[in-house]
Amino acid sequence: MSFQGWPAEAITFYERLELDNSKPYWTGHKAVYEQAVRAPMLALAELVADEFGPLHLFRPHRDMRFSKDKSPYKTNVGAVTEGEGGEIYYVQLAADGLTAGSGYYFMAADQMARHRAAIDDDDAGHQVEAIVAAAETAGYRITAQDELKTAPRGYRRDHPRIRLLRLKGLVAMRSFEPGPWLSTPAALDRVVDTWRGCQGLNDWLGRHVGHSELPPPDLFDR
């Protein structure tokens, strides 16, 4: 299966879904989703599998059980895989363009404890601080699944790396606005280049955090 990027219809599909997030709209445009959105994502998944692992596409339906927002459909298509060191590789297409990133988005309690201890350590902490600064200079956004409003228990509020200590994970993401490039194989290059650019961060996470010994969250059913 060849990858030629996402056609303009994919962006239009999500622009309209944001305005009319309903079953009639989805049913009437499901063929567009399958051909312009899902098929290119599956083609990309096939090409990156050898280097990064098999991508798992998220289902298009939202889980509304615990949400006040009862919109039935996600306004993006996302896919994720997990590397040998426990890092995730994520890609997403939405009306505002393409996003890709890598790192430890979810951390179990044992990982979180090791992560914070490493950030607090002078040597390891300065290393990740430099990695994060370089990533941000290169256009990455540093984020996580969630963030504390204050310092975690046992750490000072004026800690020199308090911003990283407050994050419940560590991921570097890059976003690209829609353009003609999105409908070409160059879209694959942007995803792969973004993931490869996270290697230093993932190496640090692998050394200082590593895999959890607790049952993992289900990354592929969201």
Side-chain angles (χ1 to χ4, degrees):
M1 186 184 302
S2 64
F3 176 76
Q4 299 301 320
W6 284 272
E9 289 83 359
I11 298 298
T12 302
F13 172 83
Y14 281 116
E15 288 175 339
R16 293 177 178 173
L17 182 62
E18 289 182 353
L19 298 174
D20 183 9
N21 197 317
S22 67
K23 185 174 182 179
Y25 173 83
W26 183 271
T27 302
H29 297 82
K30 186 175 181 181
V32 178
Y33 169 79
E34 293 291 342
Q35 297 167 17
V37 176
R38 187 170 182 270
M41 185 67 86
L42 290 174
L44 182 144
E46 185 175 316
L47 292 174
V48 302
D50 286 346
E51 182 174 353
F52 299 100
L55 279 177
H56 298 258
L57 272 65
F58 295 136
R59 59 176 181 245
H61 300 80
R62 294 183 62 249
D63 183 351
M64 300 180 289
R65 291 173 299 174
F66 308 107
S67 175
K68 293 181 180 180
D69 180 2
K70 298 304 180 183
S71 302
Y73 303 103
K74 297 174 183 175
T75 54
N76 62 69
V77 60
V80 67
T81 189
E82 184 174 346
E84 294 181 357
E87 74 278 10
I88 62 100
Y89 297 95
Y90 178 73
V91 58
Q92 171 187 293
L93 179 76
D96 58 359
L98 187 68
T99 297
S102 184
Y104 279 30
Y105 189 65
F106 299 95
M107 285 192 187
D110 57 339
Q111 291 177 304
M112 198 73 255
R114 295 193 295 270
H115 179 58
R116 288 173 176 160
I119 292 173
D120 185 46
D121 179 80
D122 283 342
D123 289 338
H126 283 131
Q127 289 172 14
V128 73
E129 195 172 35
I131 291 169
V132 165
E136 290 178 326
T137 298
Y140 287 82
R141 175 171 55 93
I142 303 301
T143 185
Q145 175 195 14
D146 200 2
E147 180 177 353
L148 296 174
K149 294 181 179 179
T150 187
R153 183 175 299 179
Y155 295 93
R156 309 190 323 266
R157 293 186 179 183
D158 62 347
H159 192 286
R161 291 175 290 281
I162 188 61
R163 178 172 72 112
L164 298 179
L165 285 171
R166 288 170 52 196
L167 292 175
K168 292 185 174 182
L170 192 57
V171 177
M173 310 284 288
R174 291 177 72 192
S175 296
F176 307 93
E177 294 182 356
W181 61 271
L182 190 58
S183 301
T184 74
L188 171 66
D189 296 334
R190 297 201 183 193
V191 173
V192 171
D193 289 347
T194 296
W195 288 347
R196 289 173 179 165
C198 296
Q199 187 62 53
L201 176 64
N202 288 333
D203 287 345
W204 185 91
L205 288 166
R207 287 194 305 272
H208 298 286
V209 181
H211 291 278
S212 173
E213 296 181 1
L214 302 175
D218 188 351
L219 297 179
F220 307 132
D221 189 27
R222 295 181 179 271

